[in-house]
C-alpha cells in the first residue's frame, strides 16, 4: 500500500488552526505519509507538525461551506482546524482517519524516521542485559545469566537473556515455564545491595482447579531464600480475583506447597477498567463548566487517583518487605506484564537511588518495561479520545509515570530528571518517531528514543535543577491528601502554564546564580592560596 | 499553677507511632516534652478548640485535643486520675470569661514600652487611604463616627462622598443593619472608581429611605466613569428574601436610581462552619481511601464555598478595573462575606496588597477596623458556639489558592498565611482581640498588649516568597485568575500542617530560600575575599618593590541585584580602593555593570543574615515516616529515622515557644 492512495487532498490553503491558550494561526495545511503539517509560511510563527499516530480521534463539523476538523491527540491535546471547502475538508478528514489507524507496524513512522541529529550513542546498545548483569556479578555470585530463552521459545515475552538463581539449570527453567502464565518463569528483577535481598517477578502459577504443583517452581523460588528465612509473594490481584483465575487454569501459590512464603494480595486494577478510568478522567478535565461539585464527583468517579494510590501502596509494600523486613519478594499478577511491572519498577525507584538518575531511569524503563515484555503496542494503541471499542488498551505505563511523578513531588530534590522527562516518555509511549514502545526483533532498523534523549541539549532540558544525590531509600506518603492530580499531563492543555513556567525559570535562575557565586568564591580562594605559596613571607600573619 | 504528669504517650494521628514524655499544664500553655529527645510541643490554651476524654483502655486514659490550627493531639495518660485533672483544668482554662485572662495580656516579649508603641504604629490606615488617593475632590474624611455614635462597629475615621452630608449619613445609617451605612473601603485611582461596603438595608417588603437613596446617589455621582453603581449582595437570593420577613432585605432597584443589583451567592457563617467540620471529619479519618476522600471533599462543599468567594471577588475587580464602575458590597451585617469579598477584590486589583506590609494593611483595614467579629468567630471567650465560623480562614485560603495560580505575584509565601492564621487564634497578640475597634480601645490593647505585625515584620525573611517578582506585578497589576474548578486544591499545609507524615519530605520553597541565603553569604564572602586579595597584593607590592607584576582578578563579582541599594550597602563589608584590582569593587559600579534582568531577583533579605536553620518544635527532618502500606503495619523496627533526608517544610507555621 502506498501512502499516496490514502491522501486525496495533500494541500489546502487558508486553513485556520485553533489551539487552547495560543493565538490562532492561518496557513497552509499539508498531509504527508506520517505528518499533518500546518505552516503559515512566515518566519517567526510556529508551525504545527503532528504525527498521524498521535491522533486519537477526529470530529467533523460544518457551518455552510466552512468545515472544521477537531483533532484529538493521544497526548490529550485538542486542536481545531477550520478548512474552507466542504470537499477538501472531507478528504482531509478521511485521510487523517486512515493514516492514523494504520495497523501494520512496519508502515509506522519509526521505520521511516531518519535522525536529524547525530547519534552519539546508540541507544539500542546502552542497556543490554549483559551490562546489567556485570553490575550484579560484582555484588553477588548467587545468580547467573541464562540463555534458555535465546530464540524466544521458552517465553516469547522475555528477552533472550535473563538472570536466574545460579543453582537452577536451564532444564528446570523450561519446566517452570510450563507452570507459569505465558511461560514467564520467576526471574530476577532487582537485587538490594544493602542486605542482599531480591525482588523477582513472574506470571501467575498455572495451578488450575485441581491444584497442580510444580516442584521445579518451588525449588527455583526457594533457591532465592537464605536459610531459615521467609519470603513474600505479592499478588497484585485480590484473593477473589486470584481464586477465580483457577477456573481458567491460573491460580495462586498454595501455602502447603510454598511453606516458606507468605502471600499478600493487593488490588490493582487491570486493562479495561484502567482505560475507562482514563477516559473518564480526561472527560472530567475537559469539562469547562464552573461547577465544583461536578468536577470533584467526576474526578472521584474516574477512580484514577484510587489506582495511583493502590499501585504506589503495593510498590511501597514490596519495598518495605525487602528493605525493612529483610525478605525476598516475588511479584506477580495474572500475566506478569502489567501490574507486576508497575510494582517492581516503582519499588526500585523507592529503594535504589540510581534509578532516580536520568540514565538509571532509562535503564529501569528498558529493563522493567521494554525487555520485560510490557505489550506497549496493544496497551498504547488508543488513548482517551478513541471512539473505537477498547480491546487491549490500558494506560498501565501512564499510571506508572504518574506514580513516579507523585514520588518526585514528594522528593523534589532526589531525582536527577524533572517532570518534563516523564511527560516526554508519556508522549513517546503513545506516538513516537522513535522506537521505544515496539518490542520487535527488527529493531536495528530504527532509532532508539534513548539516542535522542541522551544528547546534551535534551538532557539539559530534562534535568532537575534541584537535584542533589540522595543515597537513601525514599518512602512516599500514600495518604489521599498527599497524592495530587498530575496537572502536567491531564490539565496541560486546559490551563495557561505561563505563570508557572516563569516561576520555574526564576527558580532555575536562583540556583544558577548561587552556583556562579560559588565558582567565583572558589576561584578567588585558589588565587589567594596561590599567592601564599608564591611568597613565603605572606604565610606568617 | 502548673500541673505535671509523667509517663504520657503522644500518639500520631495517622500511624501507630507514639512518643513518651511529660505533660505540663501552665497558666497559658499545654506543653509536652519528649523524654527521648527533649523535643517540645506547646499549645497555648486559646488554640485549644475541643478536648475530649475517651474511654479507658488497657494502656491508659486517652485524651484528644483538637486545636484551632487544625492540630489534633492524642495523649494517653497512664492514670485516670491524672487524665481527669488535666481534662478538668484545661476545661477551666480554655475559654476565659473576660478578655483580661487571655494570653496577650500576660505575654511579654521583652520589649520596652517604646518598642511596643512603635509596633502598633507600623500600620497607619490614614496613610493607606492617602496612598489610594483619598481624600480627593470626590471623597472626604468624615468625623461623624468620632465617638462611635453613628455606628459602634465601624472605626472612627470613615470616608464618604463629598456630597454625602451628615443628615444623609445619619439617615442612611438608621436604615442599615447595625447602623453600618455605605462607606469607602478601596479607591481605584486609575478609574476613580470606589469600592464601598455596608450592611443590608432595613427595607422589609416595602420600606424605603430617602437618605439611603441619596447616599447611593452620592456614591454614583462621585464616579464620572460610570452612570451606575453595582450593588453586590453577597448572599444567596433565597437568604436575602427570607430576611425581608424580618424587616431587612435588599435594595429595590425601583427606588434607587442608577444601581445595578446583583446577588453572588456566598453561604452564611453557619453553612461555612458545618462545611469545615465535615471537611475536618473526613480528612481526620485513619486509612482514608481515595474515593472517600474525594467524595468527602465534595460533600463538605468547602472548595465550592472557596470558589464562590473568589468568583465574587473577580466580579468586583472586573467591575472596577474594566468597567470603571463603583461597587457597593454588602451581605447581612456586612462584616463577614463583605469583608471577604472587599479584601480579596482589592488584593486582585492592587499589587501593594500582595506584599507583606500591604497584606497586613489590608487585614487591618477590611477585617480589623471594619469590625469583623474576631472574638466571636474565633471563639476567643466563652461565647455562643453558633457565632463561631471560619470566615477569616477562608479568606486566607482564597489568597493561597491565588498564590498557587500566580507564584510570582506575592511577596509572601504560605508560611506567612499560616503564621497569621495561627496568631488569629493564639490570642498572643492584641491585634485580633475583641469584635471591633471601640471594644479594642476600651480594652486598651495598644497599651497592654503587643502587635503581631511588628513581630511578623521582624521575621520577614522567613516569610518571603523567593519567586516573587515586582516586575511581574508591574506588568500584571490586576490578577485575572481562572476559577475553573480544578484550579482549587485542598490546602494540605493548612489542614494537615502538623501531620508531618503527609508532607513532601523535601520542600522546594525551603530549598530555594536556603539557596538564596547561601547566595547572599557567598556574595559577602566574595567581597571579603576581594578585599583580602587587594590587601595581599598591596602587601606583595610593598614587599617587593621590584616591579613584580601584580595578578589581576579574573572577573568582577556578580552582584545580587537589589531593589534597595541603600539598605543593602549598609550590610556590606568595607570595600577597598580598586587600586590594583582594576575592577570596580564599588557596590554601585558593580550594580551598574550587572545584568539588567537580574534586577528583581533578591529582595530585602540582604539586610541581615537570616536565621533559617533554627529548629522549632517538631520540625526535625529526621522524624521518621512509619506508615502503613498494608499488612506489614507495625511489624518492623522503626530504625528508619536516620535515613530520611533532613528537609521538612513549614517550620515557621509551628506554634512558637514563648514562655
Amino acid at each position: 500500500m502506498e501512502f499516496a492512495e490514502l491522501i486525496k487532498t495533500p494541500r489546502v490553503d487558508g486553513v485556520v488552526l485553533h489551539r487552547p491558550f495560543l493565538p490562532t494561526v492561518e496557513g497552509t495545511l499539508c498531509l504527508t505519509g506520517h505528518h499533518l503539517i500546518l505552516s503559515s509560511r512566515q518566519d517567526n510563527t510556529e508551525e504545527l507538525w503532528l504525527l498521524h499516530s498521535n491522533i486519537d480521534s477526529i470530529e467533523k463539523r460544518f457551518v455552510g461551506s466552512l468545515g472544521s476538523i477537531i483533532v484529538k491527540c493521544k497526548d490529550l491535546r485538542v486542536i481545531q482546524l477550520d478548512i474552507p471547502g466542504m470537499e477538501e475538508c472531507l478528504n482531509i478528514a478521511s485521510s487523517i482517519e486512515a493514516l492514523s489507524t494504520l495497523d501494520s507496524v512496519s508502515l509506522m513512522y519509526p521505520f521511516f524516521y531518519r535522525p536529524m541529529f547525530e547519534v552519539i550513542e546508540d541507544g539500542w546498545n546502552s542497556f543490554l542485559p549483559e551490562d546489567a548483569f556485570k553490575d550484579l556479578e560484582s555484588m553477588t555470585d548467587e545468580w547467573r545469566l541464562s540463555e534458555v530463552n535465546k530464540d524466544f521459545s521458552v517465553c516469547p515475552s522475555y528477552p533472550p537473556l535473563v538472570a536466574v538463581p545460579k543453582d537452577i539449570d536451564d532444564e528446570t527453567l523450561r519446566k517452570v515455564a510450563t507452570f507459569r502464565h505465558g511461560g514467564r518463569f520467576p526471574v530476577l528483577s532487582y537485587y538490594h545491595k544493602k542486605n542482599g535481598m531480591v525482588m523477582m517477578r513472574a506470571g501467575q502459577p498455572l495451578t488450575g482447579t485441581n491444584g497442580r504443583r510444580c516442584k521445579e517452581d518451588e525449588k527455583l523460588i526457594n533457591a532465592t531464600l537464605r536459610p531459615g528465612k521467609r519470603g513474600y509473594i505479592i499478588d497484585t490481584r485480590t484473593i477473589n480475583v486470584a481464586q477465580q483465575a483457577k477456573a481458567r487454569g491460573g491460580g495462586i501459590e498454595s501455602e502447603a506447597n510454598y511453606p516458606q512464603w507468605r502471600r499478600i494480595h493487593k488490588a490493582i486494577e487491570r486493562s479495561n477498567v484502567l482505560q475507562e478510568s482514563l477516559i473518564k478522567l480526561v472527560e472530567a478535565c475537559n469539562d469547562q463548566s464552573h461547577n465544583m461539585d461536578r468536577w470533584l464527583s467526576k474526578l472521584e468517579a474516574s477512580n484514577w487517583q484510587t489506582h495511583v494510590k493502590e499501585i504506589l501502596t503495593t510498590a511501597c509494600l514490596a519495598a518495605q518487605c525487602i528493605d525493612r523486613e529483610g525478605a525476598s519478594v516475588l511479584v506477580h499478577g495474572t500475566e506478569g506484564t502489567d501490574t507486576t511491572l508497575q510494582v517492581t519498577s516503582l519499588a526500585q525507584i523507592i529503594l535504589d537511588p540510581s534509578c532516580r538518575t536520568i540514565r538509571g531511569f532509562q535503564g529501569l524503563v528498558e529493563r522493567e518495561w521494554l525487555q520485560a515484555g510490557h505489550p506497549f503496542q496493544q496497551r498504547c494503541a488508543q488513548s482517551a479520545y478513541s471512539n473505537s471499542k477498547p480491546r487491549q488498551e490500558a494506560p498501565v505505563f501512564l499510571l506508572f509515570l504518574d506514580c513516579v511523578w507523585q514520588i518526585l513531588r514528594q522528593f523534589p530534590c532526589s531525582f536527577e530528571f524533572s517532570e518534563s522527562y516523564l511527560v516526554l516518555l508519556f508522549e513517546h509511549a503513545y506516538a513516537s518517531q522513535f522506537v521505544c514502545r515496539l518490542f520487535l526483533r527488527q529493531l536495528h532498523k530504527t532509532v532508539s528514543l534513548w539516542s535522542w534523549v541522551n544528547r546534551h541539549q535534551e538532557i539539559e532540558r530534562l534535568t532537575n535543577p534541584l537535584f542533589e544525590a540522595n543515597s537513601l531509600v525514599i518512602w512516599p506518603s500514600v495518604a489521599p491528601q498527599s497524592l495530587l492530580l498530575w496537572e502536567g499531563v491531564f490539565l496541560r492543555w486546559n490551563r495557561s502554564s505561563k505563570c508557572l513556567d516563569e516561576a520555574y525559570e526564576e527558580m532555575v535562575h536562583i540556583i544558577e546564580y548561587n552556583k556562579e557565586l560559588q565558582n567565583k568564591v572558589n576561584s578567588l580562594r585558589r588565587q589567594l592560596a596561590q599567592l601564599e605559596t608564591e611568597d613565603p613571607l605572606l604565610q606568617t600573619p | 499553677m502548673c500541673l505535671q504528669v509523667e509517663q504520657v504517650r503522644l500518639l500520631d494521628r495517622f500511624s501507630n507511632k507514639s512518643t513518651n514524655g511529660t505533660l505540663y499544664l501552665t497558666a497559658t500553655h499545654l506543653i509536652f516534652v519528649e523524654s527521648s529527645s527533649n523535643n517540645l510541643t506547646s499549645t497555648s490554651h486559646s488554640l485549644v478548640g475541643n478536648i475530649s476524654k475517651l474511654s479507658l483502655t488497657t494502656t491508659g486514659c486517652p485524651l484528644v485535643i483538637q486545636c484551632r490550627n487544625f492540630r489534633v493531639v492524642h495523649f494517653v495518660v497512664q492514670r485516670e486520675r491524672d487524665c481527669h485533672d488535666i481534662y478538668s483544668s484545661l476545661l477551666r482554662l480554655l475559654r476565659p470569661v473576660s478578655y483580661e485572662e487571655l494570653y496577650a495580656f500576660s505575654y511579654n516579649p521583652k520589649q520596652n514600652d517604646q518598642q511596643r508603641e512603635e509596633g502598633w504604629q507600623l500600620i497607619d490606615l490614614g496613610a493607606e487611604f492617602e496612598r489610594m488617593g483619598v481624600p480627593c475632590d470626590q471623597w472626604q474624611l468624615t468625623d461623624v463616627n468620632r465617638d462611635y455614635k453613628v455606628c459602634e462597629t465601624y472605626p472612627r475615621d470613615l470616608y464618604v462622598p463629598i456630597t454625602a452630608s451628615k443628615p444623609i449619613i445619619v439617615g442612611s445609617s438608621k436604615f442599615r443593619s447595625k447602623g453600618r451605612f455605605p462607606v469607602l473601603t478601596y479607591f481605584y485611582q486609575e478609574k476613580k472608581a470606589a469600592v464601598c461596603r455596608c450592611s443590608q438595608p432595613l427595607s422589609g417588603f416595602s420600606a424605603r429611605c430617602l437618605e439611603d437613596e441619596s447616599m447611593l446617589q452620592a456614591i454614583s455621582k462621585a464616579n464620572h466613569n460610570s452612570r451606575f453603581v453595582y450593588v453586590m449582595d453577597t448572599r444567596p437570593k433565597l437568604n436575602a428574601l427570607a430576611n425581608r420577613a424580618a424587616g431587612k432585605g435588599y435594595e429595590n432597584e425601583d427606588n434607587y436610581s442608577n444601581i445595578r443589583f446583583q446577588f453572588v451567592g456566598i453561604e452564611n457563617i453557619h453553612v461555612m462552619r458545618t462545611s469545615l467540620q465535615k471537611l475536618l471529619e473526613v480528612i481526620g479519618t485513619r486509612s482514608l481511601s481515595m474515593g472517600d476522600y474525594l467524595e468527602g471533599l465534595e460533600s463538605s462543599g468547602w472548595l465550592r464555598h472557596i470558589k464562590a468567594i473568589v468568583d465574587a471577588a473577580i466580579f468586583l475587580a472586573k467591575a472596577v478595573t474594566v468597567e470603571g464602575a463603583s461597587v457597593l458590597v454588602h451581605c447581612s451585617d456586612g462584616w463577614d462575606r463583605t469583608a471577604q469579598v472587599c479584601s480579596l477584590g482589592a488584593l486582585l486589583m492592587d499589587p501593594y496588597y500582595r506584599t507583606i506590609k500591604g497584606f497586613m494593611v489590608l487585614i487591618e483595614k477590611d477585617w480589623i477596623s471594619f469590625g469583623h467579629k474576631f472574638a466571636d468567630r474565633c471563639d476567643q471567650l466563652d461565647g455562643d458556639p453558633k457565632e463561631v465560623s471560619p470566615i477569616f480562614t477562608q479568606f486566607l485560603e482564597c489568597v493561597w489558592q491565588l498564590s498557587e495560580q500566580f507564584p510570582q505575584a506575592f511577596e509572601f509565601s504560605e508560611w506567612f498565611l499560616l503564621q497569621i492564621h495561627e496568631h488569629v487564634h493564639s490570642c498572643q497578640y492584641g491585634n485580633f482581640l475583641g469584635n471591633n475597634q471601640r471594644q479594642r480601645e476600651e480594652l486598651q490593647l495598644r497599651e497592654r498588649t503587643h502587635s503581631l505585625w511588628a513581630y511578623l515584620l521582624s521575621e520577614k525573611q522567613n516569610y518571603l516568597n523567593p519567586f516573587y517578582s515586582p516586575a511581574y506585578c508591574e506588568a500584571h497589576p490586576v490578577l485575572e485568575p481562572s476559577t475553573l474548578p480544578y484550579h482549587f486544591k485542598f490546602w494540605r499545609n493548612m489542614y494537615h500542617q502538623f501531620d508531618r507524615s503527609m508532607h513532601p519530605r523535601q520542600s522546594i520553597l525551603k530549598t530555594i530560600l536556603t539557596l538564596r541565603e547561601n547566595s547572599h553569604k557567598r556574595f559577602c564572602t566574595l567581597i571579603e575575599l576581594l578585599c583580602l586579595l587587594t590587601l595581599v597584593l598591596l602587601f606583595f607590592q610593598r614587599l617587593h618593590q621590584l616591579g613584580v607584576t601584580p595578578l589581576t582578578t579574573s572577573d568582577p563579582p556578580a552582584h545580587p541585584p537589589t531593589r534597595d541599594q541603600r539598605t543593602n550597602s549598609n550590610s556590606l563589608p568595607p570595600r577597598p580602593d580598586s587600586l590594583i584590582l582594576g575592577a570596580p569593587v564599588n557596590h554601585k559600579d558593580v550594580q551598574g555593570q550587572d545584568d539588567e534582568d537580574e534586577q528583581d531577583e533578591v529582595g530585602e533579605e540582604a539586610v541581615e543574615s537570616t536565621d533559617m536553620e533554627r529548629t522549632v518544635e517538631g520540625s526535625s527532618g529526621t522524624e521518621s515516616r512509619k506508615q502503613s502500606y498494608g499488612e506489614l503495619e507495625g511489624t518492623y523496627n522503626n530504625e528508619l529515622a536516620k535515613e530520611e533526608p533532613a528537609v521538612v517544610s513549614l517550620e515557621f507555621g509551628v506554634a512558637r515557644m514563648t514562655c
Side-chain angles (χ1 to χ4, degrees), chain A residues 320 472 476-477 513 518 535, chain B residues 515 522 544 560 625 629 643:
Chain A
Q320 200 174 308
L472 306 172
S477 161
Y513 176 68
Q518 180 66 59
D535 193 331
Chain B
L515 267 184
R522 276 177 192 163
H544 312 256
R625 174 178 308 206
Y629 296 121
E643 302 181 353

Side-chain angles (χ1 to χ4, degrees), chain B residues 123 125-126 129 145 148 151-159 180 183-185 197 334-335 339 360-374 431-433 435-441 453:
Chain B
I123 309 287
L125 289 184
F129 278 94
N145 206 35
Y148 299 111
C151 174
E152 58 176 20
T153 59
Y154 267 171
R156 288 178 194 270
D157 291 344
L158 294 166
Y159 296 83
R180 294 171 69 93
V183 291
L184 182 80
T185 176
R197 55 185 289 171
W335 50 43
M360 295 172 177
V361 170
L362 185 67
I363 293 176
E364 191 73 32
K365 173 169 73 72
D366 272 318
W367 293 85
I368 298 175
S369 90
F370 275 116
H372 173 68
K373 301 203 290 176
F374 279 105
N431 308 58
F432 300 101
L433 300 192
N435 282 325
N436 51 57
Q437 291 297 58
R438 182 185 171 165
Q439 210 174 15
R440 285 181 197 110
E441 277 173 27
W453 306 135

Side-chain angles (χ1 to χ4, degrees), chain A residues 293 297 313 320 324 410-411 413-414 472 476-477 481-482 487 494 502 509 513-514 518 535 538, chain B residues 283 298 304 408 472 486 489 496 502 505-506 515 519 522 539 544 559-560 601 625 629 636 640 643:
Chain A
D293 290 358
S297 80
T313 308
Q320 200 174 308
R324 291 178 176 178
Q410 295 188 27
F411 295 86
C413 309
S414 300
L472 306 172
S477 161
Q481 294 96 319
S482 307
E487 297 180 24
N494 299 335
E502 281 170 8
H509 189 83
Y513 176 68
N514 190 53
Q518 180 66 59
D535 193 331
L538 280 170
Chain B
I283 61 170
E298 182 205 334
R304 174 160 45 88
Q408 293 195 279
Y472 178 89
Y486 44 69
K489 289 172 228 154
H496 285 301
M502 278 183 194
R505 291 271 110 175
Q506 300 170 323
L515 267 184
S519 287
R522 276 177 192 163
F539 192 44
H544 312 256
H559 187 267
E601 183 196 315
R625 174 178 308 206
Y629 296 121
Y636 48 83
L640 179 75
E643 302 181 353

Side-chain angles (χ1 to χ4, degrees), chain A residues 321-444:
Chain A
C321 290
I322 294 170
D323 186 66
R324 291 178 176 178
E325 293 282 294
S328 285
V329 174
L330 168 67
V331 185
H332 71 73
T334 306
E335 292 96 344
T337 55
D338 296 292
T339 54
T340 307
L341 305 183
Q342 289 172 331
V343 174
T344 57
S345 51
L346 283 169
Q348 291 179 52
I349 299 249
I350 294 166
L351 294 172
D352 185 0
S354 69
C355 292
R356 296 172 222 141
T357 63
I358 291 185
R359 220 183 149 72
F361 191 68
Q362 286 172 12
L364 181 76
V365 171
E366 187 73 29
R367 275 196 325 271
E368 290 299 306
W369 290 88
L370 297 163
Q371 292 170 6
H374 176 65
F376 275 100
Q377 207 196 336
Q378 291 168 353
R379 298 287 181 263
C380 302
Q382 299 289 336
S383 163
Y385 297 123
S386 170
N387 299 321
S388 56
K389 206 167 171 271
R391 293 158 299 183
Q392 299 282 321
E393 288 83 357
V396 177
F397 188 64
L398 175 57
L399 271 165
F400 158 71
L401 293 176
D402 194 330
C403 291
V404 177
W405 179 77
Q406 305 285 352
I407 307 178
L408 171 65
R409 280 285 305 209
Q410 295 188 27
F411 295 86
C413 309
S414 300
F415 287 78
E416 196 194 0
F417 51 87
S418 66
E419 178 181 358
S420 330
Y421 189 38
L422 300 173
V423 177
L424 179 97
L425 285 181
F426 158 63
E427 289 171 342
H428 285 279
Y430 277 87
S432 178
Q433 65 267 49
F434 305 107
V435 170
C436 117
R437 67 192 184 102
L438 310 174
F439 192 70
L440 297 167
R441 263 152 261 158
Q442 62 268 55
L443 288 178
H444 56 270

Side-chain angles (χ1 to χ4, degrees), chain A residues 112-159:
Chain A
F112 295 82
Y113 178 71
R114 290 293 166 265
M116 301 285 281
F117 60 87
E118 193 190 346
V119 180
I120 306 167
E121 170 198 348
D122 187 355
W124 292 124
N125 297 324
S126 299
F127 304 100
L128 297 174
E130 297 91 306
D131 297 340
F133 189 73
K134 269 182 207 133
D135 293 343
L136 181 67
E137 264 183 322
S138 67
M139 297 183 277
T140 172
D141 58 356
E142 291 162 5
W143 297 79
R144 69 182 183 94
L145 212 51
S146 165
E147 293 186 355
V148 68
N149 198 37
K150 199 164 55 185
D151 50 3
F152 302 98
S153 61
V154 177
C155 172
S157 60
Y158 270 171

